[in-house]
Amino acid sequence: MARIGFVGLGNMGAPMARNLVRAGHEVSVYDLSAGAMARAEGARPATSGAEAAGGAEFVLTMLPAGQHVREAWLGTGGLAAASAPETVLIDCSTIDVGTAREVAAAAGRPFLDAPVSGGVMGAEAATLTFMVGGPGDAFARAEPLLQAMGRTVVHCGEAGAGQAAKACNNMLLAISMIGTCEAFVLAEKLGLSHEALFEVASKSSGQCWSLTTYCPVPGPVPASPANRDYRPGFAAALMVKDVGLAQQAAAETGASTPMGARALELYREFVEQGGGGTDFSGIIRMLRGR
Ligand code: NAD
């Protein structure tokens, strides 16, 4: 059993903190919002982030974006200074690689970036995938804790490597989903049935996760959001955030990612048309309507 400070009890953080409590850990929690504080049953409420971090062996954050993470760890009354020198600090938010590296370097404590995939359902069911960057010894200490909230935990490399893996994976997903949608839209124009395209492409060189697990048309994969009017799932607005982070990384490193750039434009357009709250596979409706 470990003493843990957990800051950021939103849609993801609250169920993650609950799973740490269920695993038998002593969890002290803090969120700026009183409503969010009420969601971490079984945890000890703290009156500030610094109070939650004081005396903890691990401190975790699950916050919206890079500026919140920088402020929470390094700002006045920040979590890094409030933690003991040997405490392992873990940020699970999805943020840009540059901020992740900057906070890790400035924290003065072992620091891991550990963004997740799997969404709110994965957070509730403790089936998240963690992509982790940072020192190997800190990863070894943190791994059992991450296993209590997830199913797959991968050490990707040094500081920022977790955020890098998340950005690359989600850019690939954004592109492959648009490609899958375009194939179905073209099939419709050609009079080819969804079932026939699925039957062929799922067993040949067009095969990919966007087709076989998350099919953007109803029918072939009964559990995909297309079968429930594109209720998320993974909301298009979150996809815009993640592909935006990938494009920021591409601009900073000089990587050529023209398909990623186009995918970001198309998802932005979809969100501007009111699709932000629907599943990202719902972009097929916009493509069909063009
Ligand atoms: P959310 O907006 O529901 O929760 C964020 C919480 O952080 C809020 O309760 C807010 O009050 C709190 N907060 C902000 N600044 C704070 C501070 N300084 N101190 C204390 N609390 C603070 O967001 P979410 O959906 O839980 O997402 C959190 C992170 O996880 C984001 O980076 C997101 O990109 C990532 N993520 C989300 C999903 C998803 O499906 N929601 C999936 C994968 C990754």
Side-chain angles (χ1 to χ4, degrees), residues 7-13 30-33 36 62-65 68 72 92-94 116-117 119-120 166 234 238 241-242:
V7 175
L9 302 169
N11 294 324
M12 296 291 290
Y30 179 68
D31 194 291
L32 288 176
S33 141
M62 193 51 164
L63 301 171
H68 307 99
C92 299
S93 326
T94 301
V116 303
S117 76
V120 176
K166 170 97 183 169
F234 183 50
L238 289 173
K241 176 193 171 185
D242 289 3

Side-chain angles (χ1 to χ4, degrees), residues 123-183:
E124 279 165 359
T127 56
L128 293 170
T129 294
F130 284 87
M131 300 151 247
V132 189
D137 48 351
F139 174 77
R141 285 173 61 196
E143 195 178 4
L145 215 72
L146 303 180
Q147 291 285 3
M149 298 180 285
R151 190 154 52 195
T152 308
V153 180
V154 183
H155 189 211
C156 300
E158 290 306 313
Q163 299 295 349
K166 170 97 183 169
C168 293
N169 179 74
N170 282 23
M171 182 180 76
L172 179 56
L173 172 62
I175 295 167
S176 78
M177 179 53 78
I178 290 173
T180 304
C181 291
E182 287 185 5

Side-chain angles (χ1 to χ4, degrees), residues 8 23 26 56-57 87 123 134 141 145 169 194 199-200 233 252 264 284:
E26 192 183 303
E57 294 152 76
T87 302
R141 285 173 61 196
L145 215 72
N169 179 74
H194 291 163
E199 191 62 18
V200 171
E252 285 166 4
L264 177 58
I284 192 169

